[in-house]
Amino acid sequence: MSSFSLVGVNSGVATLASVDASGNLQCKDSALITANHNDLVAIDAVLDTSKLVLDNILTKNGEIDTVLDASKLVLDAISASLSGTLAVSAGTISAVNTVVISGASVANMATENSSSVDITGSRSCSVFGNLTDTSGNIKVQVSLDNSNWIEKTDDYITMSSSGDFHKLVSSDVRYVRISYTNSSGSAQTMTANISVKS
């Protein structure tokens, strides 16, 4: 049997009637077909937009990969430059000792001033030695010009029972020396050193 189509209107809605090759009558609502077609067009438009978004994401991922590759090259260069053994060494601390008084006999009521030492840039300065006047006092003096001397009032040196003495001296002034005035009533013997660590 040959197929045919019949188009009619029902309540203002176009209806398509047809008989297929098997003789079955089929009716289709043209409005529904149009609506379905419009939905498919809208879905296709959404898919196109989604494809653009995905393309943009892929592009950004490619840009990120490029940045990561460049960063890896930089890190590889840093790693290569730091390869090997990292050695840390401390500067050598040197101590310079100066004998400023060597077995000097200091008469009663006499004053013995030592030679001076330049302590510029030093980390520490020590004064040590021996004085037979175990009750005597040794004064630390400082100077800017190695000529005019000022007594350092916070650094007095007293002797042990055997006459040994030691004092760690702290000062921002350039020159240091020591001074001893003998008031014991008899001559005294003195030896002194100034040691500087830099």
Side-chain angles (χ1 to χ4, degrees):
M1 173 182 281
S2 61
S3 64
F4 72 95
S5 297
L6 175 67
V7 178
V9 177
N10 180 19
S11 302
V13 178
T15 302
L16 176 65
S18 64
V19 177
D20 61 16
S22 300
N24 297 318
L25 178 65
Q26 295 185 352
C27 295
K28 295 181 180 179
D29 190 334
S30 63
L32 181 60
I33 293 173
T34 301
N36 288 338
H37 174 72
N38 291 339
D39 287 343
L40 290 173
V41 170
I43 291 170
D44 190 53
V46 171
L47 290 175
D48 286 342
T49 302
S50 300
K51 182 178 181 299
L52 288 175
V53 171
L54 289 174
D55 287 343
N56 287 335
I57 291 173
L58 290 174
T59 300
K60 292 296 182 184
N61 284 341
E63 293 173 356
I64 291 171
D65 286 340
T66 301
V67 172
L68 289 176
D69 288 342
S71 299
K72 183 178 181 300
L73 289 174
V74 172
L75 290 175
D76 287 344
I78 293 173
S79 178
S81 66
L82 293 179
S83 63
T85 302
L86 180 62
V88 178
S89 61
T92 303
I93 299 177
S94 60
V96 177
N97 182 72
T98 303
V99 179
V100 291
I101 299 175
S102 179
S105 178
V106 185
N108 184 47
M109 302 309 296
T111 297
E112 181 74 17
N113 294 320
S114 75
S115 57
S116 64
V117 173
D118 187 343
I119 63 170
T120 303
S122 65
R123 298 186 184 187
S124 65
C125 174
S126 292
V127 174
F128 60 96
N130 181 271
L131 175 63
T132 54
D133 180 8
T134 57
S135 62
N137 288 319
I138 299 173
K139 300 174 182 178
V140 177
Q141 296 179 335
V142 293
S143 173
L144 292 173
D145 55 9
N146 205 23
S147 178
N148 297 297
W149 292 92
I150 302 295
E151 182 180 330
K152 199 168 185 296
T153 56
D154 58 338
D155 280 328
Y156 286 102
I157 302 174
T158 56
M159 263 49 63
S160 69
S161 59
S162 61
D164 293 334
F165 63 88
H166 172 267
K167 183 72 175 182
L168 186 63
V169 178
S170 174
S171 178
D172 294 328
V173 180
R174 181 171 182 178
Y175 297 97
V176 171
R177 75 177 185 183
I178 58 174
S179 179
Y180 162 67
T181 298
N182 183 2
S183 58
S184 66
S186 60
Q188 303 291 334
T189 302
M190 183 177 186
T191 296
N193 303 264
I194 297 180
S195 182
V196 177
K197 283 187 178 181
S198 58

